[in-house]
Amino acid sequence: MENLLTTEIINDRTLADLLTLEFLVSITGSVLGAMIILIAGFMIGGWLRGRIVRVGQMNRHLDDTLFSFVGNVVRYIIIGFAFLFVLNTFGVQTTSFVAVIGAAGLAIGLALQGTLSNIAAGVMIVFFRPIKLGDFVEVNGQMGSVKEINLNFIELASPANVQVIIPNSQVWGNTIVNYSVYDSRRAEWVFGVGYGANLKDAEEAIRATILADPRARAEPAPFIQVNNLGDSSVDFLVRVWCASGDFFQFQADMKRNVKEALDAANVDIPFPTRTVINVAE
């Protein structure tokens, strides 16, 4: 028992020294100081995060995701410094502690390479912003509206309103098709008419139908030309610009409208046929 009491514990102090009233009073002060430092660290970190997030919310041209990410980073840095101050309060050498944390971080990093690659890709996505909340995108073969972007994955809502989760490493490492970046898009169709059809009448019917729709833009000028002489049809290639928000419905509507216009103009629309000849033996 005597040997235990004389054993050195910390800073040349034995267990007997640590059990004295003087030490207990001093350690109580250190504990109170540590609690004050931690509370102040959490409060300052939370306040700074809130201020940074509000800056992004005040201007609709700024990306909320970016400011939220920066706010969280600042908050964790403040809390980290608070913990270092607490360790200094108890006489712990922070330089050796930081070295231990670095070694542990290296080991953890090697064990969590996949997760860390997602986080690294998430940082790149947040800072370079190839996609934003609300964008309609196609990533890694999946198409949908962006609902959430965080450091591990992005969440899409598919056109059928199905949740799609894509890890950030598969987002940053693949081609991203963003349909929401530009205000206008070019719709494109191929309409086939019969070889016996009057091509001038067919072109006029197509042009009048397309331009009669208010979603079609006169500038740049629509492109309507014979593009291919197929096996059973003369194909018109039609390209017209419209607003990005109108693209899908506009493209679908014109297929039916042009077909009805060609029927009204008595323009033959061919379809593949097959002639079977029975050769008697």
Side-chain angles (χ1 to χ4, degrees), residues 50-196:
R51 296 291 297 179
I52 294 173
V53 170
R54 276 194 290 273
V55 170
Q57 294 174 344
M58 288 171 59
N59 192 330
R60 64 183 182 87
H61 297 291
L62 300 178
D63 189 358
D64 293 344
T65 306
L66 175 61
F67 281 86
S68 177
F69 171 75
V70 173
N72 284 327
V73 170
V74 170
R75 177 173 178 268
Y76 291 133
I77 289 175
I78 297 297
I79 294 174
F81 276 111
F83 274 105
L84 289 178
F85 284 131
V86 168
L87 293 176
N88 278 325
T89 302
F90 288 101
V92 177
Q93 296 297 324
T94 56
T95 53
S96 59
F97 187 75
V98 170
V100 171
I101 292 178
L106 177 61
I108 295 173
L110 293 175
L112 300 176
Q113 292 184 22
T115 301
L116 292 178
S117 66
N118 286 330
I119 293 176
V123 172
M124 302 297 286
I125 292 171
V126 168
F127 273 101
F128 289 99
R129 296 186 295 170
I131 58 177
K132 300 184 292 296
L133 294 178
D135 286 353
F136 189 80
V137 300
E138 182 177 353
V139 180
N140 199 26
Q142 300 293 332
M143 182 181 292
S145 299
V146 180
K147 293 297 183 180
E148 183 180 354
I149 303 173
N150 60 42
L151 291 182
N152 289 309
F153 60 85
I154 69 168
E155 177 186 343
L156 303 181
S158 73
N161 202 32
V162 176
Q163 183 188 56
V164 180
I165 303 296
I166 306 177
N168 284 335
S169 60
Q170 297 183 21
V171 177
W172 187 252
N174 282 280
T175 301
I176 300 173
V177 182
N178 194 328
Y179 296 98
S180 301
V181 173
Y182 304 120
D183 294 332
S184 58
R185 291 185 61 184
R186 189 184 69 186
E188 183 174 307
W189 306 268
V190 175
F191 298 114
V193 300
Y195 272 92

Side-chain angles (χ1 to χ4, degrees), residues 180-227:
S180 301
V181 173
Y182 304 120
D183 294 332
S184 58
R185 291 185 61 184
R186 189 184 69 186
E188 183 174 307
W189 306 268
V190 175
F191 298 114
V193 300
Y195 272 92
N198 187 310
L199 297 184
K200 183 177 180 180
D201 291 344
E203 181 178 342
E204 289 179 353
I206 295 172
R207 186 181 302 275
T209 303
I210 296 289
L211 295 183
D213 194 296
R215 294 170 293 187
R217 294 183 174 178
E219 294 294 336
F223 177 89
I224 304 175
Q225 295 288 340
V226 172
N227 180 61

